[in-house]
Amino acid sequence: MNRSIIIAIIIAVGVTAWIASGQIDIGDSSESTNGDAVAATQAEGTAADTAETQKNQPKIMGVRYAVSTAQPREQEIIVHGRTEANRLVELKAEISGRVKKIHVEEGDRVKSGDRIVSFDEKDNRARLQEAEALARQREIEFNAAKKLNKKGFSSDTTFASAKAQLDSATAQVTAMKIRLNDLVITAPFDGYIEAREAEVGDFVKDGNGIATIVESDPLLITGQISELEVGNIEVGGEGSAKLVTGETVNGKVKFIGRVANPETRTFRVELEVPNDGYKLRSGVTAGITFKTKSVDAHFLSPAYLTLNDEGVLGLRTVGEDDVVEFHPVQILADTPEGIWVQGLPESVRLIVVGQDFVRAGDKVRPDLFVAEASQ
């Protein structure tokens, strides 16, 4: 009996100890589970914060750039024009008369002073002789009046009258000589006869046309230059012209207009070129190229050009701290190999890949491009 009680007590103590041991384990497991849940919650919060932070941070775009350096370049201005004679004059008769002789034909070259047309002198030679005879008589009378005046036998009035009559006779001689000279039409300068209106036997009145003489050496090539470019050239500057007939000639700027054409807002410009042998003709279409002062410009591919949000043409570069900058540019020349532009700093990191995906002020991750942008 006592043994049974003892065994029962032992069993009861064991069960109690086992239960107590289970409660402790359960409590520890719950605490562990709760700790794991808290840790998981904290991890989820940290991940969410990191994702939110990354979402709020701007994305850095990668671009490629090439170093471009400005080079001196002579800017060219191209103007469309045509050739013109340096001088073109229509010779006209100064007095009326009948044509006696033709000295030249159309197309003939003449020198200054060469005869073109001679008029019939008729009685003009005789009238000159009459005027000369009268002048000799007036001279004798003047000399006699002068001697008498010195001796006191003639008044000063008589002496002055004799002097006036002598001057009048001398003037008539001069007038007749001029008239005789006017009966022969001569070339006023070197050139060639473009046209001749007078023929032998024609009676020509004063003011009627006789012949047209042209001076085309040197030759002028004229055009109209815009008001935006006229300030870039100056008299004495160099230029060249390519004629539609195939010739290319070089010359210097002779004239730049001071008053613009009110309709086109352009100014007349003349390029003077040599024309030995009159090989170049007047009135031929030509393209004139004027050289201007040297400017610093960049040579690059037109593919690098882009537009900003306002539609301005320009280029994007990488500035300090890898921040994108936009530079408006002006195209100076467009060649098959590339374009020359003005408006960039002397040396820039020019974005050549990705320029259309970034804007001014963006932070970028630049990588050097293999090919150089400048030449």
Side-chain angles (χ1 to χ4, degrees):
M1 181 73 176
N2 292 331
R3 185 179 181 183
S4 299
I5 294 171
I6 292 170
I7 293 172
I9 291 171
I10 292 171
I11 293 172
V13 172
V15 170
T16 302
W18 178 80
I19 291 173
S21 175
Q23 288 176 350
I24 294 172
D25 292 341
I26 292 172
D28 294 342
S29 177
S30 175
E31 184 178 354
S32 176
T33 302
N34 291 336
D36 293 343
V38 171
T41 301
Q42 292 177 347
E44 289 178 359
T46 301
D49 291 342
T50 302
E52 184 66 22
T53 301
Q54 293 177 349
K55 181 179 179 181
N56 292 332
Q57 290 180 349
K59 185 177 180 182
I60 298 179
M61 176 72 70
V63 296
R64 290 189 177 183
Y65 71 89
V67 177
S68 179
T69 304
Q71 305 175 50
R73 170 179 171 78
E74 285 190 347
Q75 189 176 358
E76 295 180 345
I77 300 175
I78 299 178
V79 175
H80 296 288
R82 61 187 181 90
T83 58
E84 288 186 12
N86 187 37
R87 285 189 286 182
L88 187 149
V89 175
E90 182 182 7
L91 303 178
K92 296 183 178 181
E94 296 188 41
I95 61 174
S96 299
R98 191 172 301 280
V99 177
K100 180 180 180 180
K101 188 175 182 179
I102 301 294
H103 300 279
V104 296
E105 299 294 336
E106 292 181 351
D108 287 352
R109 298 184 190 179
V110 293
K111 296 289 185 180
S112 176
D114 287 351
R115 293 186 174 190
I116 306 297
V117 171
S118 296
F119 289 91
D120 189 359
E121 295 180 354
K122 289 189 175 180
D123 61 342
N124 288 290
R125 182 69 62 180
R127 292 170 63 183
L128 173 61
Q129 294 175 355
E130 180 182 0
E132 290 175 340
L134 179 61
R136 288 192 295 269
Q137 179 183 348
R138 297 305 184 192
E139 185 177 6
I140 294 172
E141 293 174 353
F142 168 76
N143 291 332
K146 184 177 181 181
K147 291 179 181 180
L148 292 175
N149 181 260
K150 285 184 178 181
K151 294 180 180 181
F153 298 115
S154 175
S155 64
D156 293 340
T157 304
T158 304
F159 172 73
S161 176
K163 179 67 169 63
Q165 291 179 355
L166 173 60
D167 291 342
S168 176
T170 303
Q172 291 182 23
V173 172
T174 302
M176 287 306 304
K177 288 182 178 179
I178 292 175
R179 183 177 180 83
L180 287 173
N181 288 333
D182 290 342
L183 293 176
V184 180
I185 307 298
T186 59
F189 49 78
D190 296 353
Y192 66 90
I193 302 301
E194 177 67 19
R196 195 196 72 223
E197 292 80 13
E199 294 291 345
V200 174
D202 287 346
F203 183 83
V204 180
K205 294 183 179 180
D206 56 319
N208 286 4
I210 299 297
T212 301
I213 183 172
V214 177
E215 180 191 41
S216 59
D217 183 22
L219 185 71
L220 298 182
I221 305 179
T222 65
Q224 297 290 329
I225 188 170
S226 74
E227 57 186 349
L228 299 177
E229 298 175 325
V230 68
N232 295 326
I233 63 174
E234 57 185 10
V235 174
E238 296 183 354
S240 62
K242 184 174 179 59
L243 279 60
V244 71
T245 50
E247 299 92 342
T248 300
V249 291
N250 299 314
K252 293 185 178 297
V253 178
K254 179 183 179 182
F255 170 80
I256 302 173
R258 292 290 180 179
V259 180
N261 185 311
E263 297 179 357
T264 62
R265 309 307 304 170
T266 57
F267 295 82
R268 178 182 171 88
V269 59
E270 298 178 356
L271 181 70
E272 185 179 81
V273 300
N275 187 21
D276 297 335
Y278 303 104
K279 296 179 181 179
L280 304 178
R281 301 178 183 276
S282 207
V284 177
T285 303
I288 315 170
T289 301
F290 297 102
K291 294 182 180 180
T292 66
K293 58 185 178 181
S294 178
V295 296
D296 290 336
H298 291 254
F299 184 79
L300 46 88
S301 169
Y304 303 156
L305 294 172
T306 186
L307 298 174
N308 65 3
D309 294 337
E310 288 75 31
V312 178
L313 182 69
L315 293 160
R316 290 191 173 95
T317 63
V318 180
E320 297 181 359
D321 300 328
D322 296 337
V323 175
V324 176
E325 298 176 353
F326 180 82
H327 298 274
V329 296
Q330 176 187 1
I331 299 177
L332 301 180
D334 187 357
T335 68
E337 294 78 20
I339 59 174
W340 289 90
V341 299
Q342 188 179 21
L344 294 174
E346 182 178 355
S347 181
V348 293
R349 291 191 295 172
L350 181 64
I351 300 177
V352 297
V353 177
Q355 67 270 27
D356 291 327
F357 300 98
V358 293
R359 295 292 181 269
D362 290 352
K363 181 84 171 180
V364 293
R365 187 177 65 257
D367 292 324
L368 181 63
F369 192 61
V370 176
E372 292 289 338
S374 63
Q375 296 184 3

